């Protein structure tokens, strides 16, 4: 078991960043991460700093850095994209500092040994078996008390712990529940406060949508600038629509909900698309009502699922094991997004090559958004097989456990 983990960890992408942590110890419960070995190359840039403090840049800065004449780098240089992926996959050399979190004989997460000292104060909720079933360098793993029999019992008990630990240990409480399960299709064992998810190392899922327009043969992406009042990544660039996948909400339904809240995209937008299409073909629209019913009902929405990206990121006690489901939505040329929930400061429509330049040259985007946009660049032919490192970069979009 130990040699298997050693082999897996050795094959992970070399993406760690230095920080002060306790000495690493061997963990024999294997992590399932895709290897993503590549060599980072520097991106040649002009005078504008690409390391602005989070959210301190303006749209003028974004416009400036996106221009083709801004840099002398070759368009086929993928080094900047690799740097963005690196930011989502830090610290794999520290996986041995985490213990398996086991519920119902399933490993549902990983908890840092240093964080467990706070959990040991709650003996009626957490247990720390030393039976050797899930070996680690610490001689024990983390579980939940057998007295917590139902998912509801577990949810309430862990919620009480999270509340007691408070913002000092788990900042940014959202009162939003994430499902806890070993993989996407498995049963939910309990639900956990979203802000606490990385502290328990559970798998978290989200939906990210590329909203784009085609104009005179050119694709343009709608991008947003997050509100400066956001607790995470304030003022950073973001997708038109994105959000975590909460408890008991399907991916497609969540996309539609986020579309309405974040960009004012109505669920009926596709019905107008079908009407326009049939009218442009000089057909009698009403005679095709059945086509609309079959093709669009009941959701009446055409955000297209196009795949997923995954990553793993260790930062102190936080272990993010995220999978993002990617969607594309081609929007009418005259559509203007309007934020409804106060989480987006403003939107801009930017040609795709310029969006690519922003990602390659700056840290302006919220880090995981870069992965989804890089995936878009692959699928729409902006990153080509002729570029050096094409397959390595493509492979690295799934560095995490995509299950």
């Amino acid at each position: 078991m130990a040699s298997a983990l050693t082999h897996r960890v050795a094959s992970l992408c070399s993406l760690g960043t230095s920080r002060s942590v306790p000495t690493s110890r061997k963990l024999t419960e294997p992590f399932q991460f895709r290897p993503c070995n590549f060599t980072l190359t520097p991106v040649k840039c002009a005078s504008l700093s690409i390391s602005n403090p989070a959210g301190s840049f303006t749209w003028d800065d974004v416009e400036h850095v996106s221009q083709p004449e801004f840099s002398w780098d070759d368009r086929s240089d993928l080094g900047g994209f690799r740097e963005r992926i690196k930011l989502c996959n830090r610290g794999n050399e520290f996986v041995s500092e985490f213990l398996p979190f086991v519920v119902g004989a399933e490993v549902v997460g990983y908890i840092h040994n240093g964080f467990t000292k706070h959990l040991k104060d709650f003996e009626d909720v957490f247990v720390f078996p030393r039976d050797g079933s899930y070996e680690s360098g610490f001689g024990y793993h983390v579980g939940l008390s057998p007295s917590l029999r139902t998912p509801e019992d577990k949810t309430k008990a862990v919620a009480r712990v999270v509340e007691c630990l408070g913002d000092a240990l788990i900042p940014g409480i959202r009162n939003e529940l994430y499902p806890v399960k070993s993989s996407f299709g498995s049963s939910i064992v309990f639900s956990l406060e979203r802000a606490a998810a990385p502290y328990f190392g559970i798998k978290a899922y989200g939906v990210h949508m590329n909203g784009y327009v085609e104009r005179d043969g050119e694709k343009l992406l709608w991008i947003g600038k997050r509100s400066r009042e956001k607790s995470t990544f304030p003022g950073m660039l973001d997708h038109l629509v994105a959000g975590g996948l909460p408890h008991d909400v399907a991916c497609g339904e969540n996309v539609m909900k986020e579309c309405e809240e974040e960009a004012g995209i109505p669920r009926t937008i596709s019905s107008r698309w079908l009407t326009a299409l049939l009218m442009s073909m000089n057909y009698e629209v009403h005679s095709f009502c059945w086509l609309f019913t079959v093709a669009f009902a009941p959701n009446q929405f055409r955000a297209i699922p196009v795949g997923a990206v995954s990553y793993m990121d260790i930062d102190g006690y936080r272990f993010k094991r995220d999978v993002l489901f990617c969607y594309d939505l081609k929007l009418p040329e005259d559509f203007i997004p309007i934020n409804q929930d106060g989480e987006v400061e403003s939107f801009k429509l930017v040609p795709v090559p310029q969006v690519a330049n922003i990602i390659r040259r700056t840290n302006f985007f919220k880090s995981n958004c870069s992965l989804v946009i890089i995936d878009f660049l692959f699928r729409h032919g902006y990153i080509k097989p002729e570029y050096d490192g094409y397959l390595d970069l493509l492979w690295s979009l799934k560095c995490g456990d995509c299950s």
Side-chain angles (χ1 to χ4, degrees), residues 109-143:
Y110 295 92
I111 302 175
H112 194 278
N113 181 55
F115 191 73
T116 62
K117 67 182 180 182
H118 302 291
L119 305 182
K120 290 177 180 178
D121 294 333
F122 302 90
E123 296 179 352
D124 59 331
V125 179
F126 293 100
V127 295
F128 303 89
R130 293 182 176 271
D131 58 10
S133 299
Y134 301 89
E135 296 183 35
S136 76
F138 304 96
Y140 64 95
H141 64 273
V142 184

mmCIF file of all heavy atoms in Angstrom, residues 109-143:
data_model
loop_
_atom_site.group_PDB
_atom_site.id
_atom_site.type_symbol
_atom_site.label_atom_id
_atom_site.label_comp_id
_atom_site.label_asym_id
_atom_site.label_seq_id
_atom_site.Cartn_x
_atom_site.Cartn_y
_atom_site.Cartn_z
ATOM 1 N N GLY A 109 -12.997 11.958 2.611
ATOM 2 C CA GLY A 109 -12.200 13.166 2.687
ATOM 3 C C GLY A 109 -10.851 12.898 3.317
ATOM 4 O O GLY A 109 -10.502 11.752 3.634
ATOM 5 N N TYR A 110 -10.088 13.983 3.506
ATOM 6 C CA TYR A 110 -8.770 13.912 4.126
ATOM 7 C C TYR A 110 -8.605 15.143 5.014
ATOM 8 O O TYR A 110 -8.874 16.263 4.578
ATOM 9 C CB TYR A 110 -7.668 13.843 3.066
ATOM 10 C CG TYR A 110 -7.737 12.574 2.239
ATOM 11 C CD1 TYR A 110 -8.463 12.548 1.045
ATOM 12 C CD2 TYR A 110 -7.112 11.412 2.664
ATOM 13 C CE1 TYR A 110 -8.550 11.387 0.302
ATOM 14 C CE2 TYR A 110 -7.188 10.243 1.924
ATOM 15 C CZ TYR A 110 -7.913 10.232 0.735
ATOM 16 O OH TYR A 110 -8.010 9.072 0.005
ATOM 17 N N ILE A 111 -8.176 14.918 6.263
ATOM 18 C CA ILE A 111 -8.090 15.987 7.252
ATOM 19 C C ILE A 111 -6.650 16.109 7.724
ATOM 20 O O ILE A 111 -6.006 15.106 8.058
ATOM 21 C CB ILE A 111 -9.024 15.708 8.449
ATOM 22 C CG1 ILE A 111 -10.478 15.551 7.957
ATOM 23 C CG2 ILE A 111 -8.931 16.824 9.481
ATOM 24 C CD1 ILE A 111 -11.453 15.163 9.059
ATOM 25 N N HIS A 112 -6.147 17.329 7.773
ATOM 26 C CA HIS A 112 -4.769 17.557 8.193
ATOM 27 C C HIS A 112 -4.601 17.161 9.655
ATOM 28 O O HIS A 112 -5.471 17.425 10.497
ATOM 29 C CB HIS A 112 -4.393 19.028 7.998
ATOM 30 C CG HIS A 112 -2.924 19.284 8.085
ATOM 31 N ND1 HIS A 112 -2.266 19.425 9.288
ATOM 32 C CD2 HIS A 112 -1.970 19.391 7.118
ATOM 33 C CE1 HIS A 112 -0.974 19.622 9.068
ATOM 34 N NE2 HIS A 112 -0.758 19.605 7.757
ATOM 35 N N ASN A 113 -3.468 16.523 9.939
ATOM 36 C CA ASN A 113 -3.204 16.081 11.310
ATOM 37 C C ASN A 113 -3.274 17.246 12.300
ATOM 38 O O ASN A 113 -3.760 17.085 13.427
ATOM 39 C CB ASN A 113 -1.829 15.422 11.376
ATOM 40 C CG ASN A 113 -1.500 14.905 12.762
ATOM 41 O OD1 ASN A 113 -2.252 14.122 13.328
ATOM 42 N ND2 ASN A 113 -0.378 15.351 13.312
ATOM 43 N N GLY A 114 -2.820 18.425 11.880
ATOM 44 C CA GLY A 114 -2.871 19.578 12.769
ATOM 45 C C GLY A 114 -4.285 20.037 13.059
ATOM 46 O O GLY A 114 -4.568 20.573 14.138
ATOM 47 N N PHE A 115 -5.196 19.829 12.123
ATOM 48 C CA PHE A 115 -6.582 20.257 12.313
ATOM 49 C C PHE A 115 -7.330 19.298 13.231
ATOM 50 O O PHE A 115 -8.309 19.687 13.880
ATOM 51 C CB PHE A 115 -7.281 20.346 10.956
ATOM 52 C CG PHE A 115 -8.615 21.026 10.989
ATOM 53 C CD1 PHE A 115 -8.714 22.393 11.154
ATOM 54 C CD2 PHE A 115 -9.785 20.300 10.859
ATOM 55 C CE1 PHE A 115 -9.956 23.035 11.186
ATOM 56 C CE2 PHE A 115 -11.024 20.919 10.885
ATOM 57 C CZ PHE A 115 -11.109 22.293 11.056
ATOM 58 N N THR A 116 -6.874 18.037 13.283
ATOM 59 C CA THR A 116 -7.602 17.065 14.098
ATOM 60 C C THR A 116 -7.576 17.414 15.580
ATOM 61 O O THR A 116 -8.467 16.993 16.328
ATOM 62 C CB THR A 116 -7.024 15.649 13.903
ATOM 63 O OG1 THR A 116 -5.647 15.621 14.325
ATOM 64 C CG2 THR A 116 -7.122 15.209 12.455
ATOM 65 N N LYS A 117 -6.574 18.177 16.014
ATOM 66 C CA LYS A 117 -6.523 18.531 17.443
ATOM 67 C C LYS A 117 -7.745 19.344 17.850
ATOM 68 O O LYS A 117 -8.167 19.293 19.009
ATOM 69 C CB LYS A 117 -5.234 19.282 17.759
ATOM 70 C CG LYS A 117 -5.119 20.654 17.118
ATOM 71 C CD LYS A 117 -3.778 21.302 17.446
ATOM 72 C CE LYS A 117 -3.656 22.683 16.804
ATOM 73 N NZ LYS A 117 -2.339 23.304 17.071
ATOM 74 N N HIS A 118 -8.307 20.110 16.905
ATOM 75 C CA HIS A 118 -9.517 20.880 17.201
ATOM 76 C C HIS A 118 -10.744 19.966 17.233
ATOM 77 O O HIS A 118 -11.700 20.236 17.969
ATOM 78 C CB HIS A 118 -9.715 21.974 16.152
ATOM 79 C CG HIS A 118 -8.555 22.918 16.050
ATOM 80 N ND1 HIS A 118 -8.228 23.803 17.046
ATOM 81 C CD2 HIS A 118 -7.640 23.099 15.059
ATOM 82 C CE1 HIS A 118 -7.158 24.502 16.683
ATOM 83 N NE2 HIS A 118 -6.782 24.093 15.480
ATOM 84 N N LEU A 119 -10.719 18.892 16.447
ATOM 85 C CA LEU A 119 -11.854 17.969 16.396
ATOM 86 C C LEU A 119 -11.893 17.049 17.609
ATOM 87 O O LEU A 119 -12.959 16.547 17.980
ATOM 88 C CB LEU A 119 -11.804 17.141 15.107
ATOM 89 C CG LEU A 119 -11.738 17.924 13.791
ATOM 90 C CD1 LEU A 119 -11.749 16.963 12.609
ATOM 91 C CD2 LEU A 119 -12.880 18.929 13.683
ATOM 92 N N LYS A 120 -10.748 16.814 18.242
ATOM 93 C CA LYS A 120 -10.694 15.898 19.383
ATOM 94 C C LYS A 120 -11.425 16.446 20.607
ATOM 95 O O LYS A 120 -11.692 15.690 21.553
ATOM 96 C CB LYS A 120 -9.241 15.587 19.723
ATOM 97 C CG LYS A 120 -8.568 14.709 18.662
ATOM 98 C CD LYS A 120 -7.102 14.451 18.965
ATOM 99 C CE LYS A 120 -6.481 13.569 17.892
ATOM 100 N NZ LYS A 120 -5.030 13.315 18.110
ATOM 101 N N ASP A 121 -11.772 17.727 20.568
ATOM 102 C CA ASP A 121 -12.569 18.307 21.659
ATOM 103 C C ASP A 121 -14.032 17.894 21.573
ATOM 104 O O ASP A 121 -14.793 18.136 22.510
ATOM 105 C CB ASP A 121 -12.477 19.838 21.628
ATOM 106 C CG ASP A 121 -11.077 20.346 21.945
ATOM 107 O OD1 ASP A 121 -10.351 19.632 22.658
ATOM 108 O OD2 ASP A 121 -10.718 21.433 21.471
ATOM 109 N N PHE A 122 -14.420 17.252 20.487
ATOM 110 C CA PHE A 122 -15.827 16.884 20.262
ATOM 111 C C PHE A 122 -15.920 15.356 20.204
ATOM 112 O O PHE A 122 -16.139 14.754 19.149
ATOM 113 C CB PHE A 122 -16.341 17.525 18.979
ATOM 114 C CG PHE A 122 -16.237 19.027 18.956
ATOM 115 C CD1 PHE A 122 -15.098 19.652 18.458
ATOM 116 C CD2 PHE A 122 -17.260 19.812 19.468
ATOM 117 C CE1 PHE A 122 -14.988 21.035 18.445
ATOM 118 C CE2 PHE A 122 -17.163 21.199 19.456
ATOM 119 C CZ PHE A 122 -16.026 21.817 18.950
ATOM 120 N N GLU A 123 -15.784 14.731 21.385
ATOM 121 C CA GLU A 123 -15.719 13.274 21.464
ATOM 122 C C GLU A 123 -17.035 12.609 21.097
ATOM 123 O O GLU A 123 -17.059 11.427 20.746
ATOM 124 C CB GLU A 123 -15.305 12.858 22.877
ATOM 125 C CG GLU A 123 -13.901 13.327 23.246
ATOM 126 C CD GLU A 123 -13.527 12.932 24.655
ATOM 127 O OE1 GLU A 123 -14.421 12.421 25.387
ATOM 128 O OE2 GLU A 123 -12.352 13.133 25.042
ATOM 129 N N ASP A 124 -18.144 13.358 21.200
ATOM 130 C CA ASP A 124 -19.442 12.776 20.844
ATOM 131 C C ASP A 124 -19.692 12.811 19.342
ATOM 132 O O ASP A 124 -20.689 12.261 18.876
ATOM 133 C CB ASP A 124 -20.565 13.515 21.568
ATOM 134 C CG ASP A 124 -20.599 15.004 21.234
ATOM 135 O OD1 ASP A 124 -19.509 15.570 20.928
ATOM 136 O OD2 ASP A 124 -21.690 15.610 21.264
ATOM 137 N N VAL A 125 -18.793 13.449 18.595
ATOM 138 C CA VAL A 125 -18.967 13.568 17.144
ATOM 139 C C VAL A 125 -17.874 12.815 16.391
ATOM 140 O O VAL A 125 -18.168 12.017 15.486
ATOM 141 C CB VAL A 125 -18.981 15.048 16.706
ATOM 142 C CG1 VAL A 125 -19.152 15.157 15.179
ATOM 143 C CG2 VAL A 125 -20.089 15.805 17.427
ATOM 144 N N PHE A 126 -16.626 13.028 16.757
ATOM 145 C CA PHE A 126 -15.512 12.445 16.010
ATOM 146 C C PHE A 126 -14.820 11.345 16.810
ATOM 147 O O PHE A 126 -14.674 11.434 18.036
ATOM 148 C CB PHE A 126 -14.488 13.524 15.638
ATOM 149 C CG PHE A 126 -15.011 14.524 14.649
ATOM 150 C CD1 PHE A 126 -15.469 15.764 15.078
ATOM 151 C CD2 PHE A 126 -15.064 14.234 13.293
ATOM 152 C CE1 PHE A 126 -15.966 16.690 14.178
ATOM 153 C CE2 PHE A 126 -15.563 15.156 12.382
ATOM 154 C CZ PHE A 126 -16.011 16.385 12.830
ATOM 155 N N VAL A 127 -14.402 10.324 16.072
ATOM 156 C CA VAL A 127 -13.626 9.239 16.655
ATOM 157 C C VAL A 127 -12.327 9.099 15.856
ATOM 158 O O VAL A 127 -12.245 9.527 14.694
ATOM 159 C CB VAL A 127 -14.409 7.912 16.653
ATOM 160 C CG1 VAL A 127 -15.625 8.015 17.560
ATOM 161 C CG2 VAL A 127 -14.823 7.523 15.237
ATOM 162 N N PHE A 128 -11.342 8.452 16.490
ATOM 163 C CA PHE A 128 -10.015 8.347 15.867
ATOM 164 C C PHE A 128 -9.500 6.912 16.022
ATOM 165 O O PHE A 128 -8.600 6.635 16.816
ATOM 166 C CB PHE A 128 -9.064 9.361 16.506
ATOM 167 C CG PHE A 128 -9.568 10.771 16.412
ATOM 168 C CD1 PHE A 128 -10.385 11.295 17.417
ATOM 169 C CD2 PHE A 128 -9.276 11.567 15.318
ATOM 170 C CE1 PHE A 128 -10.888 12.591 17.323
ATOM 171 C CE2 PHE A 128 -9.766 12.859 15.224
ATOM 172 C CZ PHE A 128 -10.575 13.373 16.222
ATOM 173 N N PRO A 129 -10.080 5.984 15.255
ATOM 174 C CA PRO A 129 -9.739 4.560 15.396
ATOM 175 C C PRO A 129 -8.279 4.282 15.051
ATOM 176 O O PRO A 129 -7.710 4.871 14.140
ATOM 177 C CB PRO A 129 -10.675 3.882 14.381
ATOM 178 C CG PRO A 129 -11.770 4.874 14.143
ATOM 179 C CD PRO A 129 -11.126 6.209 14.262
ATOM 180 N N ARG A 130 -7.716 3.332 15.809
ATOM 181 C CA ARG A 130 -6.352 2.879 15.553
ATOM 182 C C ARG A 130 -6.368 1.392 15.194
ATOM 183 O O ARG A 130 -5.488 0.626 15.595
ATOM 184 C CB ARG A 130 -5.488 3.104 16.795
ATOM 185 C CG ARG A 130 -5.277 4.575 17.122
ATOM 186 C CD ARG A 130 -4.384 4.750 18.341
ATOM 187 N NE ARG A 130 -4.109 6.163 18.598
ATOM 188 C CZ ARG A 130 -3.100 6.836 18.078
ATOM 189 N NH1 ARG A 130 -2.249 6.208 17.266
ATOM 190 N NH2 ARG A 130 -2.905 8.112 18.345
ATOM 191 N N ASP A 131 -7.381 0.987 14.407
ATOM 192 C CA ASP A 131 -7.538 -0.427 14.094
ATOM 193 C C ASP A 131 -6.731 -0.871 12.880
ATOM 194 O O ASP A 131 -6.732 -2.049 12.518
ATOM 195 C CB ASP A 131 -9.016 -0.766 13.873
ATOM 196 C CG ASP A 131 -9.653 0.071 12.760
ATOM 197 O OD1 ASP A 131 -8.916 0.771 12.034
ATOM 198 O OD2 ASP A 131 -10.884 0.029 12.620
ATOM 199 N N GLY A 132 -6.043 0.067 12.235
ATOM 200 C CA GLY A 132 -5.209 -0.290 11.095
ATOM 201 C C GLY A 132 -5.948 -0.496 9.802
ATOM 202 O O GLY A 132 -5.341 -0.827 8.773
ATOM 203 N N SER A 133 -7.268 -0.308 9.797
ATOM 204 C CA SER A 133 -8.042 -0.502 8.562
ATOM 205 C C SER A 133 -7.667 0.508 7.493
ATOM 206 O O SER A 133 -7.685 0.206 6.299
ATOM 207 C CB SER A 133 -9.542 -0.392 8.871
ATOM 208 O OG SER A 133 -9.930 -1.388 9.787
ATOM 209 N N TYR A 134 -7.363 1.719 7.921
ATOM 210 C CA TYR A 134 -6.973 2.775 6.984
ATOM 211 C C TYR A 134 -5.653 3.340 7.495
ATOM 212 O O TYR A 134 -5.622 4.284 8.286
ATOM 213 C CB TYR A 134 -8.046 3.858 6.910
ATOM 214 C CG TYR A 134 -9.386 3.322 6.466
ATOM 215 C CD1 TYR A 134 -10.298 2.838 7.401
ATOM 216 C CD2 TYR A 134 -9.719 3.280 5.118
ATOM 217 C CE1 TYR A 134 -11.519 2.328 7.002
ATOM 218 C CE2 TYR A 134 -10.944 2.776 4.709
ATOM 219 C CZ TYR A 134 -11.832 2.293 5.660
ATOM 220 O OH TYR A 134 -13.033 1.784 5.249
ATOM 221 N N GLU A 135 -4.582 2.739 7.065
ATOM 222 C CA GLU A 135 -3.273 3.078 7.605
ATOM 223 C C GLU A 135 -2.862 4.502 7.240
ATOM 224 O O GLU A 135 -3.216 5.014 6.189
ATOM 225 C CB GLU A 135 -2.233 2.098 7.079
ATOM 226 C CG GLU A 135 -2.452 0.661 7.543
ATOM 227 C CD GLU A 135 -1.350 -0.247 7.040
ATOM 228 O OE1 GLU A 135 -0.199 0.217 6.962
ATOM 229 O OE2 GLU A 135 -1.648 -1.398 6.718
ATOM 230 N N SER A 136 -2.106 5.086 8.128
ATOM 231 C CA SER A 136 -1.486 6.376 7.854
ATOM 232 C C SER A 136 -0.213 6.464 8.671
ATOM 233 O O SER A 136 0.015 5.645 9.577
ATOM 234 C CB SER A 136 -2.429 7.535 8.215
ATOM 235 O OG SER A 136 -2.477 7.712 9.619
ATOM 236 N N GLY A 137 0.580 7.444 8.379
ATOM 237 C CA GLY A 137 1.811 7.623 9.128
ATOM 238 C C GLY A 137 1.569 8.006 10.566
ATOM 239 O O GLY A 137 2.499 8.003 11.384
ATOM 240 N N PHE A 138 0.309 8.330 10.907
ATOM 241 C CA PHE A 138 -0.024 8.749 12.267
ATOM 242 C C PHE A 138 -0.640 7.615 13.077
ATOM 243 O O PHE A 138 -0.901 7.760 14.259
ATOM 244 C CB PHE A 138 -0.985 9.934 12.230
ATOM 245 C CG PHE A 138 -0.465 11.098 11.432
ATOM 246 C CD1 PHE A 138 -0.833 11.272 10.111
ATOM 247 C CD2 PHE A 138 0.418 11.999 11.997
ATOM 248 C CE1 PHE A 138 -0.345 12.338 9.365
ATOM 249 C CE2 PHE A 138 0.920 13.059 11.267
ATOM 250 C CZ PHE A 138 0.545 13.233 9.953
ATOM 251 N N GLY A 139 -0.926 6.481 12.430
ATOM 252 C CA GLY A 139 -1.452 5.330 13.137
ATOM 253 C C GLY A 139 -2.939 5.342 13.389
ATOM 254 O O GLY A 139 -3.465 4.475 14.100
ATOM 255 N N TYR A 140 -3.661 6.287 12.860
ATOM 256 C CA TYR A 140 -5.108 6.333 13.042
ATOM 257 C C TYR A 140 -5.748 7.087 11.888
ATOM 258 O O TYR A 140 -5.062 7.715 11.066
ATOM 259 C CB TYR A 140 -5.478 6.996 14.368
ATOM 260 C CG TYR A 140 -5.087 8.455 14.490
ATOM 261 C CD1 TYR A 140 -6.002 9.468 14.194
ATOM 262 C CD2 TYR A 140 -3.807 8.826 14.921
ATOM 263 C CE1 TYR A 140 -5.650 10.804 14.311
ATOM 264 C CE2 TYR A 140 -3.452 10.163 15.044
ATOM 265 C CZ TYR A 140 -4.367 11.142 14.739
ATOM 266 O OH TYR A 140 -4.022 12.465 14.842
ATOM 267 N N HIS A 141 -7.077 7.027 11.799
ATOM 268 C CA HIS A 141 -7.818 7.822 10.836
ATOM 269 C C HIS A 141 -8.955 8.533 11.571
ATOM 270 O O HIS A 141 -9.122 8.361 12.787
ATOM 271 C CB HIS A 141 -8.364 6.963 9.689
ATOM 272 C CG HIS A 141 -9.370 5.930 10.110
ATOM 273 N ND1 HIS A 141 -9.028 4.668 10.540
ATOM 274 C CD2 HIS A 141 -10.728 5.981 10.160
ATOM 275 C CE1 HIS A 141 -10.120 3.981 10.834
ATOM 276 N NE2 HIS A 141 -11.166 4.753 10.618
ATOM 277 N N VAL A 142 -9.699 9.344 10.856
ATOM 278 C CA VAL A 142 -10.793 10.117 11.456
ATOM 279 C C VAL A 142 -12.123 9.527 11.001
ATOM 280 O O VAL A 142 -12.298 9.188 9.822
ATOM 281 C CB VAL A 142 -10.723 11.603 11.048
ATOM 282 C CG1 VAL A 142 -11.816 12.404 11.766
ATOM 283 C CG2 VAL A 142 -9.348 12.182 11.353
ATOM 284 N N GLY A 143 -13.054 9.386 11.931
ATOM 285 C CA GLY A 143 -14.393 8.912 11.601
ATOM 286 C C GLY A 143 -15.433 9.664 12.407
ATOM 287 O O GLY A 143 -15.109 10.605 13.158
#
